[in-house]
Amino acid sequence: MDQSKETAKPHRPRKAGRKAEKRKKADNEGKPEEPKRKNPKAFSIQNATKLNRSFRRAQDVKTKKHHIPVVDRTPEVPPPIVVAIVGPPKTGKTTLMKAIIQNYVKQKITSIKGPVTFISGKNKRLTLIECANDLTAMMDVAKIADIVLLLIDANFGFEMETFEFLNICQMNGFPKVIGVLTHIDTIKLMRDVKKKKTELKLRLWKEVYQGAKLFHLSKVVYGEYQRMEVRNLCRFISNKKLRPLIWKNTHSYVVADRMEDITNPEEVRVNPDGERTVAVFGYVRGINLKQRSNVHIPGVGDFPLHDVSFLPDPCPLSSNPGKKRRTLGLRERIVYAPMSGVGGIVYDKDAVYVDVNEGASNQRRRANEEEEQEEKEMMAGIMTLQETMDEKLANSALRVLKDSKPITHEAKKMIEMPMEEAVEDGGRVRRKAVFDTEIEVEGSEDDDEMESEDDEEMESEDDEEMESDDDEDEEGEEEEEDEDEEFDLERGLNWKVNLAQKAKQSFIERQSSTRNLQALVYGSQQKTQETSKNEEKDDDEGDLEAGMFKIKDVEFSNLKSGKNDQDERSKEVITDVPLYDWSTDDQAHAHIADCFVTGEWKEGEDAQKLLEQDDVLYGDFEDLEAKGAHEEEENEDSDDEEEEEAKPEIRQEKQTKKDREAIAMQKRLEKKLKMKEMFDRNYDLDKSGKLVDKGEVSVFDEMKSNLSEQARVNREEFDDMDDHTRVQFEGFRSGMYVRAEIKSIPADFVKNFDANYPLILGGLQPTETGMGFIKVRVKRHRWFSRIMKTSDPITLSVGWRRFQTRPIYFMEDHNMRQRYLKYTPEQTHCMALFYGPFTPQATGFAGVQTIGSNEKNFRIALTGTILDSDCSSKIVKKLKLIGYPYKIQKNTCFIKKMFNSSLEVAKFEGAAIKTVSGIRGQVKKAVPAGSAIGGGPGCFRATFEDKCKMSDTIFLRMWMDVTMPTYCATVNNYLLPEKDSWVGEKTVGQIRFENKTKPVVNENSLYRPIERPTGRQFTGLVVSRALQKELPYKSKPKYEKPKALGKQSKLMKKAVILSPEERNRNKLLSALGMMTKNKTKEKKEKRKASKLAHEKVLAKQQAEEMRTHKDTKKRLYKALNKSGANKGRDNE
């Protein structure tokens, strides 16, 4: 193809964003501003209906976005966002994960194991986790994921694993789900591709929400997805807004990116299967993690935290976020994946591990060869030693660097070594370095200036690198690395100048420097002044009370900030002024005594009066730091004369009373303006100083503002503390990288640890460590093939835990009776009670019968919600006792075989009983042993409404308490080599299926047709012949004789065999009859249709006549009214 005919891609300038605004500002620079439009009618509302419709739609959209406000606990440096890549096998999860990592950090990772953390923006980090195709891994990932990339094979469609994961997410709090279609290139026809995309999109919308995002990865080239498609997906991930989920917002947890076995090797050698001690590293998420709290490791069990300490962040954000840049520099694209062998430096509590780059193998080889050569030379010199040690030391020379000039014994005088002095301090001997001469440090400032200049040069180069485009190819990166190496070589030539003198000065500085304890404890005067200035600039003032903290009024606190450094110092500033003798000054003694609590308080210093003033000014809130400011402002007028006496040089010589009143009025006016400005800043102005027009504030906005204010107060309360002090108060806050040490871990966990399964330390609240009966509301999943049976073992995923239990299903009747159910209902909810660990109310859970992957059908058996913990429910089931009468005396009957002892009879005295024929009765008392009535133990006397018969069967309907099973087994599948091979209790059906046995048939348990009479069966009425003679004819019984059979009936009983001719004749007649019948039917239908049409015409005519008649009546009545009115006027 001719290159001259090719057209370049047209440039499309940005229409929105920072660049577009910058270009627009540059274009409008120098141009006069457009005059304001003064004609209000030209820009008024044109269509009120359209405006009303658009306003209503805008309000509907705004209302749909409303969620229940939640306190934002996100810290200033949030933890990395967890992005989980979920999908069935062979859908491209690993390929997509590598593509996302390469898009952000420009680095390829060959083998990925465990989480991968990297910096994705100026103030955002991501942690990628690949979810294994295992039900337990799906349960764990659904609880920690913030964003889920749901991979779908476009050629195959949705698989059961996808729907199972979505149902688990619904129970644990739904994260942000993004669908990703892969394997699109395997579909040949384009129309099929379009149809498949639409079909999968609509199905995803039904499962997630209407309008869920679905990305398409069209094809794979050389094992990688298209760069632009991956970039669009990454951009959408970075801009996704997250809402804190309830479970994550109330629990702390750590997603481990590294685990180490720190057990003593000797103990492991002696007892290989003994308990281990492990150290888990990761970022704290959720709420603050307390020291010595309990955690649950899914798949292992509950453990207390032995020790927790925070470490430096291995993947820190940019150190200078104030730089104006659009992209990250290459040096800031950090990736940390210790389980995959990526990350460079790994920090431990007592060690630092450095992963050396494999590309530097040649340098290491050369360094090793040089070291071996030096060792050989040293050994040869020792073997051929001919001088004593003193002579050797005297003639020795010191070479600081390899190519530098050696320092001989003559140059030793240049460096003055310190003297050693032994000092006893607290029972131990400490060696102190003492110098004879005074030290003058002059070159340090020059060196600092040199370093600051070098740092500025490095920062300028970093800025240039950060402004480079994201999609730089590899050649450009190599050129930048070469430039950096040349820059380092140039710097290396400068620092070699005057090396000996610099070494001497640095050594003297280190030995002679002493710390200023006053500056360490209280800070320097300059620093306090700077902080006070910064506090004056702070606009975030107020006197609100939120939660457990108070928002201090900065306006009042700044008035006292100038005195803080002088009032709180433990040292006195000693000057050359001669000291005053205070022992003879009685007035000073009285003044000092008045400074204590027992002294007399002024009106502006009395605490009670100040509190009353604060209540008047600020309502119910208490301002603890404004005492000084109020005191100065209230006593300002009263102290005017004292100030004038104290400053006679400012006061005029002659001042009239009118002038003094004018000055006092001016001061009062300034005071009022100052108070008004403070009020406006606290209540009517926002942080930028603009007036806020509140108007009518909705309850939602008010609650949201209160929660945001509470979150701001919580963040600012401990900002002035260092991390070590802050951890003691609030624990390890979210976003900190911690090292958690756990003891008593089973050895199988360490031996069978698999990095492909997520390791989570889920924090437990103090109320979640106990065990008891849990009341829940459950429903069988609509896709599960079977209904659930009571007391069958089922595995539940509740909170962080997974355990197997045996639930009892029941329903609550209208009288609050909890009625036992043998099976779950088909389509409705029911209640359940099981034994397990305590869990907060309104926590969702999912249940499965097996966690293995060999199940072909849908595995989520039921879903539900926690209603109550540690509840004592009384579940009853229906029981029917059967007895038989053995003696009857009128309405009294003695019954046997219903009870086994007189004690059971005594328990059921007064109970209602009933016979099969419907006669009601009541249990009276047991028959005493040895009675003449007899019957044996368990017999009793009962009374009925009517006389029973010996053939009757008596029933007693009752409710019996159900015994609750106390079974709960933790699913510790992470202790096994194969994580999906854990098997707990099995149902009886599973055991029979595995053993290929049939259930034992009990004949008494089989259902049989029961035929019972509907009442008493009485014999028919027999009338004697003598009585029949006396009865009238109509009352006499009639006995009719059977009629004799006629000829036709006799012929019908005989078989008639037709000849072929007769059969043909009959066929013809039947055909003619059918034709006649069809014609008759058609005529009837036509007649019916014509009748309907005629009825429609008649109805139309009738309606027209009615309308005409109605109009005629109206005209007639109008005429009559007019004539009546005229007659009335004539009569008047």
Side-chain angles (χ1 to χ4, degrees):
M1 187 177 179
D2 191 4
Q3 295 182 357
S4 61
K5 295 182 180 180
E6 292 182 359
T7 58
K9 185 179 179 180
H11 173 65
R12 292 182 294 181
R14 289 182 175 270
K15 297 181 180 179
R18 193 178 67 177
K19 279 192 172 182
E21 293 176 359
K22 191 175 181 182
R23 191 188 309 110
K24 191 182 297 183
K25 187 176 180 182
D27 294 342
N28 295 333
E29 189 174 357
K31 295 182 181 179
E33 295 183 358
E34 294 182 1
K36 295 183 179 180
R37 296 163 178 171
K38 297 181 180 179
N39 188 1
K41 294 184 178 180
F43 307 100
S44 62
I45 298 169
Q46 301 295 332
N47 191 341
T49 307
K50 187 176 180 181
L51 176 65
N52 186 16
R53 192 182 299 117
S54 62
F55 175 76
R56 288 178 180 276
R57 185 182 180 280
Q59 294 300 317
D60 291 341
V61 171
K62 182 180 178 181
T63 307
K64 286 179 181 178
K65 294 181 180 179
H66 285 178
H67 296 280
I68 299 175
V70 182
V71 178
D72 186 12
R73 305 183 189 275
T74 306
E76 295 180 358
V77 182
I81 297 173
V82 179
V83 180
I85 302 177
V86 184
K90 304 298 181 180
T91 54
K93 297 191 292 293
T94 306
T95 307
L96 178 61
M97 191 171 182
K98 292 179 181 178
I100 293 174
I101 295 171
Q102 187 177 1
N103 177 74
Y104 279 113
V105 301
K106 309 299 181 185
Q107 183 177 351
K108 292 184 179 180
I109 301 178
T110 56
S111 63
I112 298 176
K113 289 184 179 180
V116 179
T117 304
F118 54 85
I119 296 178
S120 62
K122 293 181 286 186
N123 54 1
K124 185 174 288 188
R125 295 171 292 184
L126 297 180
T127 296
L128 291 182
I129 296 178
E130 181 181 348
C131 180
N133 186 33
D134 184 65
L135 201 57
T136 57
M138 292 181 188
M139 292 177 180
D140 293 340
V141 169
K143 297 167 187 175
I144 62 174
D146 300 317
I147 299 175
V148 174
L149 300 182
L150 196 63
L151 269 66
I152 304 164
D153 189 348
N155 191 18
F156 187 81
F158 284 100
E159 301 182 42
M160 277 299 180
E161 288 85 353
T162 304
F163 293 114
E164 288 170 355
F165 180 78
L166 290 175
N167 279 274
I168 294 171
C169 288
Q170 288 176 353
M171 293 297 104
N172 294 285
F174 218 95
K176 299 293 182 180
V177 177
I178 303 172
V180 180
L181 285 183
T182 60
H183 298 177
I184 300 178
D185 52 345
T186 57
I187 305 175
K188 296 180 180 180
L189 299 178
M190 184 54 67
R191 63 172 181 270
D192 294 341
V193 172
K194 192 173 182 180
K195 182 179 178 182
K196 199 71 175 180
K197 285 180 181 180
T198 306
E199 179 184 347
L200 295 175
K201 180 185 68 174
L202 295 177
R203 183 63 205 178
L204 183 68
W205 286 6
K206 287 183 180 180
E207 293 298 324
V208 184
Y209 64 89
Q210 194 76 13
K213 194 66 178 177
L214 182 64
F215 282 89
H216 311 134
L217 300 180
S218 59
K219 59 182 177 178
V220 178
V221 181
Y222 297 112
E224 296 181 357
Y225 292 114
Q226 298 297 307
R227 184 181 297 178
M228 186 57 65
E229 294 173 349
V230 176
R231 185 178 298 173
N232 292 337
L233 176 61
C234 295
R235 185 180 294 116
F236 193 80
I237 293 172
S238 300
N239 297 333
K240 199 73 173 174
K241 292 183 180 180
L242 304 177
R243 186 173 183 270
L245 301 177
I246 296 177
W247 181 262
K248 297 179 185 177
N249 211 25
T250 55
H251 292 77
S252 61
Y253 62 100
V254 177
V255 180
D257 52 22
R258 185 160 63 97
M259 190 275 293
E260 289 186 3
D261 183 11
I262 59 174
T263 313
N264 189 1
E266 182 64 22
E267 296 180 1
V268 177
R269 186 188 65 82
V270 174
N271 187 11
D273 296 332
E275 295 180 344
R276 304 291 183 88
T277 302
V278 299
V280 179
F281 302 81
Y283 290 94
V284 178
R285 292 175 168 86
I287 63 174
N288 297 341
L289 179 64
K290 300 294 184 180
Q291 186 76 266
R292 306 288 180 181
S293 60
N294 292 327
V295 296
H296 178 82
I297 303 177
V300 185
D302 294 354
F303 300 95
L305 290 176
H306 178 69
D307 183 32
V308 183
S309 59
F310 64 91
L311 302 175
D313 197 336
C315 189
L317 293 172
S318 176
S319 59
N320 191 0
K323 289 184 180 180
K324 293 182 179 180
R325 63 191 188 282
R326 295 183 62 236
T327 59
L328 291 174
L330 293 177
R331 297 179 182 177
E332 295 176 337
R333 298 178 185 272
I334 304 173
V335 60
Y336 181 65
M339 291 185 184
S340 303
V342 181
I345 299 176
V346 178
Y347 297 91
D348 198 352
K349 186 177 182 181
D350 50 0
V352 178
Y353 305 94
V354 181
D355 293 341
V356 183
N357 188 10
E358 294 180 359
S361 59
N362 295 330
Q363 299 179 1
R364 293 199 302 271
R365 193 182 302 110
R366 288 196 298 269
N368 294 335
E369 292 177 357
E370 292 176 359
E371 290 178 0
E372 292 177 359
Q373 186 66 22
E374 290 178 359
E375 290 178 359
K376 291 179 180 179
E377 293 176 358
M378 185 183 297
M379 294 300 296
I382 293 174
M383 296 298 293
T384 59
L385 187 63
Q386 297 178 358
E387 296 178 352
T388 61
M389 185 62 67
D390 295 337
E391 293 175 354
K392 188 75 174 177
L393 291 174
N395 298 329
S396 63
L398 175 63
R399 189 186 298 272
V400 179
L401 294 174
K402 183 177 179 182
D403 299 331
S404 63
K405 184 179 179 181
I407 302 174
T408 60
H409 182 68
E410 296 178 356
K412 184 179 178 181
K413 299 177 182 179
M414 297 175 61
I415 302 175
E416 183 180 1
M417 300 300 294
M419 301 295 293
E420 180 178 332
E421 179 181 357
V423 180
E424 291 187 4
D425 184 12
R428 66 187 184 95
V429 179
R430 306 179 67 179
R431 300 186 307 171
K432 183 179 182 182
V434 181
F435 294 90
D436 295 333
T437 59
E438 295 181 358
I439 300 169
E440 296 179 1
V441 182
E442 297 177 355
S444 60
E445 296 180 359
D446 297 334
D447 295 339
D448 294 339
E449 293 177 0
M450 292 283 291
E451 293 177 0
S452 63
E453 291 177 0
D454 295 339
D455 293 339
E456 291 176 359
E457 293 177 3
M458 293 292 291
E459 290 176 2
S460 64
E461 287 188 4
D462 291 342
D463 293 337
E464 294 175 1
E465 290 180 359
M466 289 170 192
E467 293 175 358
S468 62
D469 201 341
D470 284 339
D471 52 346
E472 295 176 337
D473 49 18
E474 296 179 358
E475 295 178 359
E477 296 174 5
E478 293 176 357
E479 291 176 2
E480 289 182 0
E481 292 175 0
D482 296 338
E483 292 176 0
D484 294 340
E485 291 177 1
E486 293 176 4
F487 178 77
D488 293 337
L489 291 175
E490 292 177 359
R491 289 188 61 194
L493 298 175
N494 293 331
W495 64 268
K496 292 182 179 179
V497 180
N498 297 330
L499 190 61
Q501 185 178 359
K502 290 181 180 179
K504 177 182 176 181
Q505 288 182 354
S506 62
F507 181 80
I508 292 171
E509 287 176 353
R510 289 195 302 271
Q511 295 295 330
S512 62
S513 62
T514 58
R515 296 183 178 181
N516 187 359
L517 296 178
Q518 179 179 349
L520 288 174
V521 177
Y522 300 101
S524 61
Q525 182 72 17
Q526 182 180 1
K527 184 176 180 181
T528 55
Q529 292 177 0
E530 291 176 0
T531 55
S532 64
K533 291 179 181 179
N534 293 333
E535 289 176 355
E536 290 177 0
K537 295 178 183 179
D538 189 13
D539 294 328
D540 200 7
E541 300 174 358
D543 196 16
L544 302 172
E545 181 173 353
M548 63 178 183
F549 306 127
K550 290 187 178 180
I551 310 170
K552 299 188 293 186
D553 197 338
V554 184
E555 186 69 26
F556 291 132
S557 62
N558 289 340
L559 298 175
K560 288 183 63 180
S561 61
K563 309 180 205 174
N564 289 340
D565 295 333
Q566 298 178 2
D567 294 343
E568 295 180 353
R569 291 196 177 178
S570 60
K571 279 189 175 183
E572 275 188 324
V573 181
I574 301 175
T575 59
D576 297 331
V577 180
L579 299 177
Y580 181 79
D581 188 9
W582 297 98
S583 61
T584 60
D585 194 347
D586 297 334
Q587 186 177 359
H589 279 283
H591 184 67
I592 292 172
D594 191 39
C595 291
F596 292 91
V597 179
T598 56
E600 296 180 359
W601 294 89
K602 295 181 182 179
E603 184 179 358
E605 296 178 348
D606 192 0
Q608 186 64 29
K609 293 183 178 181
L610 287 177
L611 288 175
E612 294 175 358
Q613 293 174 2
D614 289 344
D615 291 339
V616 174
L617 288 173
Y618 306 101
D620 297 332
F621 299 103
E622 184 176 358
D623 192 79
L624 302 177
E625 299 188 6
K627 184 182 73 172
H630 283 294
E631 180 183 341
E632 292 178 6
E633 291 172 357
E634 289 177 0
N635 298 335
E636 198 170 16
D637 295 336
S638 62
D639 294 343
D640 284 343
E641 296 179 2
E642 296 179 3
E643 291 178 0
E644 292 172 359
E645 292 176 2
K647 300 178 181 180
E649 66 275 7
I650 299 175
R651 184 178 176 183
Q652 298 179 2
E653 294 182 359
K654 292 183 180 180
Q655 199 173 30
T656 61
K657 182 178 180 181
K658 188 175 181 180
D659 295 337
R660 288 195 296 272
E661 290 178 356
I663 292 171
M665 185 179 295
Q666 183 67 21
K667 289 184 178 181
R668 286 194 294 271
L669 182 61
E670 291 176 359
K671 175 183 173 183
K672 290 181 179 179
L673 292 175
K674 189 175 180 181
M675 295 293 292
K676 183 179 183 302
E677 181 183 1
M678 190 186 307
F679 181 86
D680 293 340
R681 185 163 55 252
N682 289 340
Y683 295 97
D684 295 338
L685 299 181
D686 58 3
K687 294 182 179 179
S688 61
K690 297 180 181 179
L691 188 64
V692 177
D693 187 12
K694 295 184 178 180
E696 295 184 2
V697 181
S698 63
V699 178
F700 177 81
D701 295 335
E702 184 178 359
M703 185 184 300
K704 194 172 180 181
S705 62
N706 292 339
L707 292 178
S708 62
E709 188 69 21
Q710 175 68 55
R712 185 187 65 80
V713 172
N714 295 343
R715 283 195 298 267
E716 293 179 356
E717 181 65 22
F718 299 105
D719 283 347
D720 54 347
M721 294 185 183
D722 59 324
D723 288 339
H724 293 279
T725 308
R726 188 170 178 178
V727 163
Q728 297 177 4
F729 284 99
E730 62 174 359
F732 299 90
R733 63 185 179 276
S734 178
M736 298 184 74
Y737 191 80
V738 298
R739 174 187 184 270
E741 185 177 333
I742 306 173
K743 290 188 175 183
S744 302
I745 296 289
D748 293 336
F749 173 71
V750 180
K751 293 178 182 178
N752 303 322
F753 178 72
D754 189 357
N756 295 322
Y757 287 78
L759 177 58
I760 307 170
L761 302 184
L764 299 176
Q765 300 293 341
T767 58
E768 298 177 15
T769 56
M771 301 285 287
F773 290 104
I774 314 297
K775 183 180 178 182
V776 297
R777 181 175 63 247
V778 299
K779 182 182 179 183
R780 183 190 68 90
H781 200 280
R782 63 187 185 278
W783 291 346
F784 195 67
S785 58
R786 301 179 300 276
I787 58 176
M788 309 304 297
K789 185 180 179 181
T790 290
S791 299
D792 273 359
I794 189 169
T795 303
L796 301 179
S797 174
V798 185
W800 302 120
R801 296 183 171 96
R802 290 192 300 271
F803 55 89
Q804 191 183 53
T805 185
R806 294 204 298 260
I808 302 294
Y809 305 109
F810 64 92
M811 292 286 285
E812 282 192 359
D813 295 336
H814 63 280
N815 56 358
M816 303 307 292
R817 181 195 293 125
Q818 296 176 348
R819 181 166 45 87
Y820 171 90
L821 295 179
K822 190 173 183 180
Y823 298 98
T824 57
E826 286 282 348
Q827 302 294 338
T828 59
H829 289 83
C830 69
M831 304 295 180
L833 196 69
F834 61 84
Y835 184 77
F838 295 151
T839 311
Q841 292 182 359
T843 302
F845 66 89
V848 296
Q849 280 197 334
T850 57
I851 64 173
S853 58
N854 55 357
E855 182 73 23
K856 297 180 181 179
N857 298 324
F858 193 75
R859 288 179 289 181
I860 306 299
L862 56 83
T863 57
T865 308
I866 302 292
L867 298 180
D868 194 7
S869 295
D870 194 18
C871 59
S872 56
S873 296
K874 183 180 179 182
I875 301 176
V876 294
K877 70 176 181 178
K878 191 182 294 185
L879 183 65
K880 187 181 290 186
L881 300 179
I882 302 174
Y884 304 97
Y886 68 93
K887 193 172 183 179
I888 298 173
Q889 295 178 356
K890 293 187 178 181
N891 290 353
T892 302
C893 183
F894 294 90
I895 303 169
K896 62 180 180 179
K897 293 185 179 182
M898 185 176 287
F899 302 108
N900 296 322
S901 63
S902 59
L903 183 62
E904 294 182 2
V905 177
K907 190 175 182 180
F908 286 91
E909 285 184 1
I913 56 178
K914 192 175 183 180
T915 64
V916 176
S917 57
I919 303 174
R920 294 175 296 182
Q922 188 178 20
V923 177
K924 291 302 183 182
K925 284 192 177 183
V927 177
S931 175
I933 300 174
C939 296
F940 63 93
R941 180 175 60 88
T943 57
F944 292 89
E945 295 176 339
D946 198 358
K947 185 177 180 181
C948 298
K949 284 192 172 185
M950 295 295 293
S951 60
D952 281 333
T953 303
I954 292 90
F955 293 97
L956 172 61
R957 292 188 176 95
M958 56 172 291
W959 296 98
M960 186 186 70
D961 293 343
V962 179
T963 304
M964 293 296 302
T966 57
Y967 167 72
C968 180
T970 303
V971 180
N972 50 4
N973 60 318
Y974 284 2
L975 306 182
L976 305 175
E978 296 180 1
K979 311 304 179 186
D980 59 349
S981 61
W982 185 89
V983 178
E985 280 192 352
K986 297 180 181 179
T987 62
V988 179
Q990 289 176 347
I991 296 172
R992 290 194 186 118
F993 178 77
E994 292 174 359
N995 298 331
K996 297 181 179 179
T997 58
K998 294 183 178 180
V1000 180
V1001 178
N1002 186 4
E1003 295 182 358
N1004 294 329
S1005 299
L1006 296 177
Y1007 290 101
R1008 296 186 299 269
I1010 301 174
E1011 296 179 359
R1012 294 197 183 102
T1014 57
R1016 285 194 176 185
Q1017 298 297 323
F1018 300 98
T1019 58
L1021 181 62
V1022 179
V1023 182
S1024 62
R1025 289 187 178 183
L1027 184 60
Q1028 288 181 14
K1029 293 179 181 179
E1030 298 178 1
L1031 289 175
Y1033 176 77
K1034 65 176 183 180
S1035 299
K1036 288 181 179 180
K1038 278 78 174 175
Y1039 300 103
E1040 296 181 359
K1041 295 181 181 180
K1043 293 181 180 181
L1045 295 176
K1047 289 183 179 180
Q1048 187 67 22
S1049 59
K1050 290 179 179 179
L1051 289 174
M1052 291 300 294
K1053 285 189 175 183
K1054 295 180 181 180
V1056 179
I1057 300 174
L1058 299 177
S1059 64
E1061 295 178 357
E1062 291 176 344
R1063 282 199 296 268
N1064 293 334
R1065 194 185 306 117
N1066 290 339
K1067 285 182 182 179
L1068 180 61
L1069 291 175
S1070 62
L1072 291 174
M1074 183 64 67
M1075 291 173 62
T1076 306
K1077 188 177 180 181
N1078 290 338
K1079 287 182 181 180
T1080 307
K1081 186 177 180 182
E1082 289 178 359
K1083 287 181 181 179
K1084 286 183 179 179
E1085 290 178 354
K1086 287 182 180 179
R1087 195 181 299 112
K1088 188 176 181 181
S1090 62
K1091 185 179 179 181
L1092 291 173
H1094 182 65
E1095 288 178 355
K1096 288 182 181 179
V1097 173
L1098 291 178
K1100 191 174 181 180
Q1101 292 178 357
Q1102 189 177 1
E1104 185 67 23
E1105 291 176 358
M1106 288 293 294
R1107 186 178 62 80
T1108 307
H1109 182 66
K1110 190 175 182 181
D1111 293 341
T1112 305
K1113 286 174 68 177
K1114 282 184 180 180
R1115 289 195 298 270
L1116 178 62
Y1117 288 142
K1118 283 183 181 179
L1120 291 175
N1121 289 335
K1122 287 182 180 180
S1123 62
N1126 293 332
K1127 288 180 181 180
R1129 291 194 193 100
D1130 296 339
N1131 295 329
E1132 289 177 357

